[in-house]
Amino acid sequence: MGASIRWTARMRAVLRRWQSAPLIWLIVGGFVLMAATAIGTALTVDRFRQNAIESGRDSLESAVRLLARHFDREFADFAVLQKSIIAELESHGIESADVFRSEMGTLAVHEVLRAKASGWSDVAGANLFDSSGVLINSSRRWPVADISVADRGYFNRLKNDPASQEEIEVVPGRFGDGQAIVFARRVSGPHGEFLGIVTRAIAPEQLESFFASSGLGEDSSIAMHHQNGQLLGRIPQVDGMIGKNYRTGSPEQMAVFERTFVTTELASPIDGKQRIVAARLLTVVPLVIVATKSLDATLATWRTQTKFFVTVAVLSIGLLVLTLVLIFRQMTRRLSVEKQRLDTALNTMTQGLLMFDQDQRLIVCNRRYTDMYRLSTTVVKPGVHFRDVIQHRHDTGSFEGDVDAYCDAVLDGVGRIQSNIVETADGRLIEIKNQPGAGGGWLATHDDVTERIRSDERIAHMAHYDALTDLPNRVLMRGHLERRVAELAQGKPFAILYIDVDEFKGVNDSLGHEVGDELLRQVANRLRACVSGNDLVARLGGDEFAIVKAGTCDQAELTALAEQILTMLRRPVDCKGQEIATDASIGIAIAPDHGDNLDDLLKRADLAMYAAKSEGRGTFRIFVPEYDAKARLRRQLEIDLRLALGRGEFEVHYQPLVDLAANVVTGCEALLRWRHPARGMVSPVDFIPVAEDTGLISEIGEWVLRQACTEAASWPGDIHIAVNVSPVQFRSRTLALKVAAALAESGLAPGRLELEITETVLIRDDEEALTVLQQLRELGVRIALDDFGTGYSSLSYLHRFPFDKIKIDRSFISDIGEPEDSSPIVQAVVHMAAARHMATTAEGVETEAQREVLRKLGCSQMQGWLFSPAVPAAKLKQLLSNQAAAA
Ligand code: C2E
Ligand code: MG
Ligand code: MG
């Protein structure tokens, strides 16, 4: 039962799958063909059966027709002879039985009888019996035997029934062996008196031998019956049959005995077999010729044919069934392979997939779907209603909404593509897409997009937030500012504060990036703490931050904010175990006072910040229009600077370096001077940074180097020349080459050239700078560390590179002689330098007192206005020749 349901289901599935395909037609066609073969075979077989029976009947009928004609003729002749004997006997006019007996029982009559019956083939010839049944004469023998037929039925019937003229009966013969068919006729007197009978007889064998000649074939019979049913003769013979009355009384048999001509089918009373029977009543005697053939024999050929036909039909149907089964199996196998592939594809999908039919019943569901919501596969399986799936989700906790409302909404939308993202109870984001399927159903995919959306959000966050401090970045700040600028029309002012952490680079380089990063995080936190809800703190990159302060244009308020920020930042902070106090330069631009255009406002905040930086750092500046003028001036300076070299506006002045012990000039520092056609002398303090920013310093620096070397080459051989080298020049790998070229060009001994570099050189591109320094050292050039003490952690550089000289910055010298002066620092530097065999030069020595102190401190050299400012080359030459003359 179960198997048949499964098979039916499988069959239905196959048919459904191939509904539009030829398989269904193939199967229907196959069945039709099988039915046609079966029906055709059955009809043919039936037709053949009828034909066989009809042909059997035909041959029986023609047999009985022939036999009847034969026996009719025979018995007619028979009757004529018998009648002629009777006519002879009756012609005597005898009325009395006794007379008849006496007169007829004579030899003469015997002779008459013998003559009449001479051609007869009877069993016993013609015999004459008297009215008492005693044989009185015979054609065969004289004198006659003592035989009586008084007990015979035919005698008594003829004797007692005047209407009965002739009787035919089979009796046990009294003239010989076997049975005899007796034909008895009445002999009557002139008035109908019964005088006796004349009999003649034939043996049943005689009939039977004739029957045998008709040859009706196997299992057939030919018989002669008396109309009363008595059997007279039959082939094949059956013991004891002759003389027996086989009349059964059945209507079919009655028809056989009573109708002139009949063909029927009945069970034989002799052997019980079903037989086809053809019978014919003889016209001259009440005898019936019956020919039969058993149905089995009649249908024997038909059976053989039927077997053949049925075999062919069965084989054809079998072949057809086999073909169909093979096709079906092939199809199901293909289907199962396809299904397997589909299952594999469905179950390896990263999305949950469901397919519903037009009745909202589930057709397909993959494992991912049930796994995704931890659903039971005994509930969510093909055939389940959509509403039940959602109800199950609701029951198991993966769906929290109203089941009916949700189902109605989905079903409303069937027929068009729907897509939405829902959040599950456990916080996952699932994108559900419904799209119309074939025949009114729909296909739903459930995609867990949590990761994708979260990562999109992360990327979006990264695009707008700084990874280190998690502050909004420049892009986000710009967007924010654009909105603020748009709101200016509504009378909502705001301010931009640019905050640049002072000396951050030094922290980063000297204490490491980790400490630097931590410092930036702490700065960010402190800045956050300084603002309120509507304000925005952003990191613009590196050590630059910005605050957009909303709703104010009050300078006092902004000043307070800037001071608060500076106070906060100056508080030492613990960064990875390092106590760091930092500071910042802040530039403030106020909208709309300083502009209602975003770019202008940003530029002005920047200018204000640079102003704060250039005015000593650790302070803030609110934009003032003159910053714009300064910026313009600087731009002009840039333009002029580009032209200055070509126009020959530069000069190199030389400032003597004096040995403190011997009080003699041992060297000079080359200091660049710009004789601007309109502005007059421009200080290198003003234009060197501009030349550095624009990159012009490389060209200018090279020019100074060549100029100074050439000049120095003309000085006495013991006088050194010191040339300042900008950190920007260090970035060019060709610096050593250029120095070598200048030396070669001028013919100056490398040992007389001293290059002054600042710590900044080492702060940037540490390794690279050390390589260049090493190359210079290999040239034989001396290296001096300029402006020592203004940098960050000067001492560490001394470990890394063995300078020839340290130039102590002017700021340590200028206060010498004042209370709490810097002399202990100078002392320390001198000691340290001496320990490393480095010379020391004190810069900016302006007073005799300073010189005295420095000499006592053990400083090797001094440079300053006390002795001489930087002077043109000619003047220096004069000075040197004076010194030489004095010596
Ligand atoms: P620096 O190398 O430290 O040069 C010494 C500066 O101190 C010079 O300023 C000099 O005129 C000044 N000075 C010397 N004695 C005294 C004194 O007793 N009192 C005071 N107040 N100042 C004194 P200057 O010439 O204005 O140069 C400033 C800076 O410009 C230099 O500082 C140097 O860093 C840079 N510089 C000058 N020429 C060149 C150059 O050819 N190439 C490069 N790269 N930088 C140069
Ligand atoms: Mg210098
Ligand atoms: Mg200096």
Side-chain angles (χ1 to χ4, degrees):
M1 181 67 177
S4 105
I5 290 173
R6 268 202 302 283
W7 192 87
T8 317
R10 221 173 113 204
M11 182 76 186
R12 221 182 287 141
V14 171
L15 290 180
R16 226 190 349 251
R17 170 70 184 78
W18 290 88
Q19 245 167 11
S20 57
L23 182 71
I24 191 159
W25 296 113
L26 195 74
I27 288 172
V28 168
F31 277 115
V32 167
L33 211 61
M34 281 193 276
T37 311
I39 292 169
T41 308
L43 288 174
T44 309
V45 163
D46 186 57
R47 180 78 248 155
F48 276 41
R49 187 179 189 277
Q50 284 175 20
N51 286 351
I53 289 173
E54 261 163 37
S55 117
R57 279 169 169 247
D58 285 352
S59 63
L60 288 175
E61 278 172 10
S62 34
V64 289
R65 199 176 290 121
L66 283 171
L67 287 168
R69 196 182 299 152
H70 168 78
F71 283 106
D72 265 336
R73 208 179 301 130
E74 193 95 329
F75 290 134
D77 292 347
F78 217 76
V80 168
L81 284 167
Q82 210 176 5
K83 275 178 186 167
S84 85
I85 291 171
I86 288 169
E88 179 67 38
L89 295 176
E90 285 178 349
S91 66
H92 296 281
I94 299 167
E95 294 179 2
S96 149
D98 294 337
V99 176
F100 183 74
R101 187 181 308 119
S102 59
E103 282 189 14
M104 293 302 148
T106 61
L107 181 62
V109 174
H110 165 74
E111 288 304 332
V112 172
L113 288 176
R114 204 156 66 123
K116 293 263 185 196
S118 61
W120 290 17
S121 56
D122 287 29
V123 178
N127 296 299
L128 183 61
F129 295 87
D130 69 5
S131 59
S132 59
V134 176
L135 179 69
I136 53 174
N137 213 328
S138 168
S139 65
R140 292 273 173 90
R141 287 175 62 182
W142 186 259
V144 295
D146 184 14
I147 291 170
S148 171
V149 293
D151 58 334
R152 301 293 199 199
Y154 59 84
F155 172 78
N156 288 313
R157 281 194 299 278
L158 289 170
K159 181 179 178 180
N160 299 328
D161 181 6
S164 173
Q165 290 299 312
E166 186 186 33
E167 288 292 331
I168 301 168
E169 192 174 332
V170 179
V171 292
R174 282 183 177 159
F175 295 92
D177 294 337
Q179 285 181 301
I181 305 165
V182 178
F183 292 77
R185 272 192 170 270
R186 190 178 206 257
V187 183
S188 304
H191 307 292
E193 303 89 345
F194 177 68
L195 299 178
I197 62 169
V198 175
T199 69
R200 55 173 302 188
I202 53 171
E205 291 78 13
Q206 282 176 285
L207 295 176
E208 287 166 2
S209 68
F210 188 79
F211 291 162
S213 65
S214 69
L216 276 179
E218 202 190 331
D219 215 7
S220 59
S221 75
I222 302 173
M224 187 179 284
H225 284 266
H226 191 280
Q227 247 193 315
N228 65 12
Q230 193 179 36
L231 182 66
L232 306 186
R234 182 182 189 269
I235 55 158
Q237 290 167 351
V238 176
D239 284 346
M241 67 176 181
I242 301 299
K244 222 169 149 184
N245 194 321
Y246 284 104
R247 194 156 172 152
T248 59
S250 75
E252 293 85 3
Q253 208 199 29
M254 292 301 284
V256 169
F257 291 124
E258 284 165 8
R259 282 169 55 181
T260 321
F261 188 77
V262 73
T263 307
T264 185
E265 225 179 280
L266 49 78
S268 163
I270 298 171
D271 58 13
K273 289 186 182 171
Q274 192 69 21
R275 287 176 173 275
I276 301 169
V277 178
R280 202 170 180 105
L281 189 62
L282 298 187
T283 48
V284 292
V285 282
L287 296 181
V288 183
I289 296 286
V290 181
T292 74
K293 187 159 185 162
S294 74
L295 210 57
D296 279 351
T298 311
L299 294 176
T301 314
W302 168 80
R303 266 199 199 95
T304 314
Q305 286 174 334
T306 301
K307 263 184 207 152
F308 174 74
F309 278 125
V310 169
T311 309
V312 169
V314 166
L315 282 177
S316 310
I317 291 173
L319 207 66
L320 212 62
V321 168
L322 191 73
T323 312
L324 284 179
V325 166
L326 286 177
I327 293 174
F328 186 75
R329 273 182 54 186
Q330 184 65 24
M331 296 290 192
T332 46
R333 205 168 293 156
R334 248 171 69 185
L335 195 67
S336 115
V337 169
E338 273 179 28
K339 189 178 176 305
Q340 259 177 20
R341 282 190 196 140
L342 188 69
D343 280 354
T344 313
L346 286 178
N347 289 325
T348 47
M349 278 174 73
T350 54
Q351 297 156 320
L353 179 136
L354 300 160
M355 195 190 275
F356 290 93
D357 64 11
Q358 68 272 27
D359 303 324
Q360 296 128 44
R361 301 222 166 253
L362 186 65
I363 306 171
V364 170
C365 167
N366 69 355
R367 212 165 33 229
R368 175 79 181 112
Y369 177 77
T370 48
D371 290 352
M372 193 180 258
Y373 298 116
R374 295 191 191 84
L375 302 177
S376 163
T377 47
T378 52
V379 178
V380 183
K381 62 182 179 189
V384 69
H385 197 278
F386 170 58
R387 209 171 283 271
D388 295 337
V389 174
I390 302 302
Q391 185 63 51
H392 179 54
R393 280 193 51 194
H394 185 270
D395 298 344
T396 52
S398 64
F399 177 80
E400 287 182 324
D402 179 341
V403 173
D404 287 332
Y406 178 76
C407 291
D408 292 345
V410 170
L411 295 177
D412 267 1
V414 169
R416 53 178 199 272
I417 295 175
Q418 304 176 76
S419 173
N420 60 329
I421 293 176
V422 295
E423 185 162 358
T424 59
D426 57 0
R428 285 178 300 150
L429 297 170
I430 308 289
E431 184 175 29
I432 303 175
K433 274 190 194 152
N434 286 351
Q435 54 188 60
W442 77 97
L443 180 86
T445 52
H446 290 235
D447 201 356
D448 190 335
V449 291
T450 319
E451 265 314 301
R452 197 185 78 204
I453 288 182
R454 299 270 188 266
S455 92
D456 285 354
E457 284 171 357
R458 268 199 300 277
I459 290 168
H461 187 85
M462 275 159 69
H464 292 101
Y465 287 85
D466 168 50
L468 181 68
T469 60
D470 206 31
L471 284 177
N473 64 10
R474 192 183 287 274
V475 178
L476 186 60
M477 186 189 77
R478 234 191 126 79
H480 179 86
L481 280 171
E482 275 164 3
R483 284 192 294 281
R484 287 270 172 269
V485 167
E487 282 172 6
L488 281 176
Q490 300 161 24
K492 296 183 179 171
F494 66 92
I496 305 171
L497 288 83
Y498 262 21
I499 303 151
D500 189 282
V501 179
D502 291 337
E503 317 298 356
F504 173 71
K505 260 201 148 42
V507 173
N508 216 11
D509 289 329
S510 55
L511 300 175
H513 290 277
E514 277 190 27
V515 176
D517 286 352
E518 183 55 29
L519 177 63
L520 290 174
R521 274 194 285 267
Q522 301 279 6
V523 168
N525 289 341
R526 289 179 174 191
L527 292 179
R528 274 196 198 100
C530 292
V531 298
S532 58
N534 272 347
D535 305 334
L536 178 98
V537 182
R539 181 177 173 214
L540 307 182
D543 52 6
E544 284 179 41
F545 293 84
I547 289 175
V548 179
K549 177 83 187 152
T552 185
C553 57
D554 176 17
Q555 295 214 1
E557 195 182 329
L558 290 166
T559 301
L561 175 62
E563 278 167 353
Q564 185 198 353
I565 291 169
L566 290 173
T567 315
M568 290 280 267
L569 294 183
R570 280 171 196 148
R571 258 183 227 154
V573 60
D574 178 38
C575 294
K576 310 258 174 199
Q578 301 272 346
E579 276 280 294
I580 300 175
T582 185
D583 212 332
S585 305
I586 303 175
I588 304 170
I590 301 165
D593 299 356
H594 302 144
D596 54 5
N597 165 297
L598 180 55
D599 289 329
D600 285 353
L601 285 165
L602 289 174
K603 194 177 75 191
R604 285 170 180 171
D606 199 36
L607 287 174
M609 196 266 285
Y610 272 101
K613 251 193 192 324
S614 60
E615 284 166 43
R617 304 175 181 231
T619 183
F620 71 92
R621 287 290 175 271
I622 294 176
F623 174 79
V624 281
E626 67 181 80
Y627 293 161
D628 268 344
K630 270 192 182 166
R632 269 198 303 279
L633 215 61
R634 186 189 145 102
R635 271 199 300 283
Q636 189 56 52
L637 196 70
E638 256 178 57
I639 296 164
D640 293 346
L641 200 56
R642 283 177 201 284
L643 301 170
L645 201 58
R647 287 178 181 165
E649 290 169 7
F650 289 123
E651 293 168 19
V652 181
H653 287 197
Y654 301 91
Q655 186 174 30
L657 300 166
V658 184
D659 187 284
L660 271 172
N663 202 25
V664 290
V665 175
T666 54
C668 293
E669 180 177 3
L671 292 163
L672 184 60
R673 297 290 176 262
W674 181 14
R675 201 177 292 278
H676 191 277
R679 297 193 211 175
M681 270 313 194
V682 184
S683 163
V685 177
D686 293 329
F687 74 83
I688 292 289
V690 179
E692 284 176 335
D693 285 352
T694 54
L696 285 167
I697 191 70
S698 294
E699 209 183 331
I700 297 169
E702 205 185 327
W703 178 82
V704 172
L705 183 68
R706 285 205 309 272
Q707 203 67 22
C709 287
T710 310
E711 189 59 35
S714 66
W715 300 338
D718 57 342
I719 305 294
H720 293 203
I721 176 75
V723 179
N724 292 288
V725 180
S726 157
V728 178
Q729 287 172 274
F730 260 80
R731 275 180 234 149
S732 143
R733 291 178 172 208
T734 54
L735 180 64
L737 272 177
K738 284 172 183 166
V739 171
L743 287 170
E745 200 181 299
S746 60
L748 186 75
R752 287 176 63 197
L753 178 62
E754 198 169 78
L755 296 178
E756 294 188 6
I757 63 163
T758 56
E759 288 167 343
T760 330
V761 167
L762 289 165
I763 288 166
R764 294 182 191 142
D765 300 329
D766 220 351
E767 291 303 319
E768 197 80 354
L770 285 173
T771 314
V772 177
L773 283 174
Q774 213 58 53
Q775 290 169 346
L776 293 171
R777 171 65 59 79
E778 281 163 16
L779 284 176
V781 172
R782 291 158 54 86
I783 311 289
L785 184 58
D786 203 356
D787 302 339
F788 185 79
T790 55
Y792 319 96
S793 55
S794 316
L795 294 177
S796 71
Y797 297 117
L798 301 180
H799 287 296
R800 305 193 58 189
F801 188 79
F803 292 96
D804 297 294
K805 184 198 270 183
I806 293 173
K807 295 187 78 175
I808 303 163
D809 192 70
R810 233 195 354 266
S811 53
F812 297 101
I813 311 299
S814 56
D815 65 356
I816 283 180
E818 288 172 18
E820 298 203 2
D821 63 7
S822 308
S823 54
I825 296 170
V826 177
Q827 175 77 82
V829 176
V830 169
H831 280 161
M832 187 194 58
R836 289 184 162 75
H837 310 290
M838 294 187 236
T840 41
T841 302
E843 290 182 322
V845 181
E846 294 179 358
T847 64
E848 202 54 58
Q850 288 167 348
R851 173 162 51 183
E852 209 43 47
V853 171
L854 289 165
R855 199 177 37 219
K856 280 186 186 150
L857 289 174
C859 194
S860 6
Q861 263 185 349
M862 61 151 269
Q863 171 184 6
W865 295 343
L866 176 65
F867 187 80
S868 163
V871 292
K875 197 166 178 194
L876 183 85
K877 248 191 194 135
Q878 185 63 52
L879 199 148
L880 288 177
S881 58
N882 290 348
Q883 178 172 291

